[in-house]
Amino acid sequence: MLNLLRKDFIASKSTLGLSFVFLAVFCVAFMPKELSMHLAGIYTAFGTLSIVTTIDIKNHNHHFLVTLPISRKHIVRAKYVTAIICILFAVLASYAVHSLVKLAAPTFIKPDYSIIDILVPVGIMLVLASIYLPLFYTLSKKGTGIINGVFLIILIALAQLQLFL
């Protein structure tokens, strides 16, 4: 399973800069909002997860992996571990950016974040990933655009819901 994780991270190394762009754009876009750390973490995590899974389709890795003498259980488990690592990276990076903003600009009023504020976006993304990954691999290449579009609408609705809270 460790080699499957290495494969995911080697394949996603070329688009790692795009994850940092996601983080920067979403942190700037949501910074004035109260739940900005949550939204920036969730959007960055989903963008990174979407890129990692799309790379598998683009490189036809899913066709290659099923021919190897490893079980599908290990392939799925490795993808979920990759998703969890992407989620933790995005949420912790969002927390770090918001903490730096709070230190650099004390006049910019931001709430104090606790451990529960870090666990909420991680939990939301784990639920989204547990729905997204099975759908992604069930519908594969033909349904990728539809799945990403539906989840983008869900994430936009999540951001709009924040306006009412």
Side-chain angles (χ1 to χ4, degrees):
M1 188 166 97
L2 186 61
N3 287 330
L4 292 171
L5 290 172
R6 281 187 65 227
K7 177 215 53 98
D8 283 337
F9 288 111
I10 289 170
S12 65
K13 189 172 33 172
S14 64
T15 60
L16 184 63
L18 194 55
S19 296
F20 289 117
V21 170
F22 283 159
L23 179 66
V25 167
F26 294 134
C27 282
V28 168
F30 294 124
M31 192 61 72
K33 299 184 186 300
E34 187 176 324
L35 296 175
S36 62
M37 197 235 0
H38 299 96
L39 292 174
I42 290 169
Y43 275 61
T44 304
F46 186 76
T48 304
L49 179 63
S50 177
I51 289 171
V52 168
T53 52
T54 305
I55 287 172
D56 278 351
I57 295 293
K58 179 182 156 198
N59 294 340
H60 303 288
N61 288 341
H62 56 291
H63 293 300
F64 173 69
L65 288 176
V66 295
T67 63
L68 294 176
I70 53 176
S71 68
R72 287 183 184 255
K73 181 172 69 171
H74 290 309
I75 296 169
V76 171
R77 198 178 291 159
K79 190 55 76 177
Y80 273 107
V81 170
T82 303
I84 290 170
I85 291 170
C86 290
I87 290 166
L88 289 175
F89 162 76
V91 171
L92 292 176
S94 174
Y95 175 74
V97 167
H98 281 76
S99 296
L100 286 174
V101 165
K102 190 171 183 173
L103 287 174
T107 58
F108 195 71
I109 301 170
K110 295 303 292 174
D112 290 327
Y113 296 115
S114 65
I115 195 76
I116 205 78
D117 290 320
I118 295 173
L119 293 177
V120 167
V122 169
I124 290 170
M125 271 310 299
L126 287 175
V127 169
L128 286 175
S130 67
I131 296 168
Y132 176 79
L133 288 173
L135 283 175
F136 182 84
Y137 285 109
T138 300
L139 299 176
S140 195
K141 188 176 184 177
K142 294 178 181 172
T144 302
I146 295 169
I147 294 169
N148 287 338
V150 167
F151 274 88
L152 180 65
I153 291 170
I154 291 171
L155 290 174
I156 289 171
L158 180 69
Q160 294 302 317
L161 179 67
Q162 191 269 333
L163 293 174
F164 297 114
L165 296 176

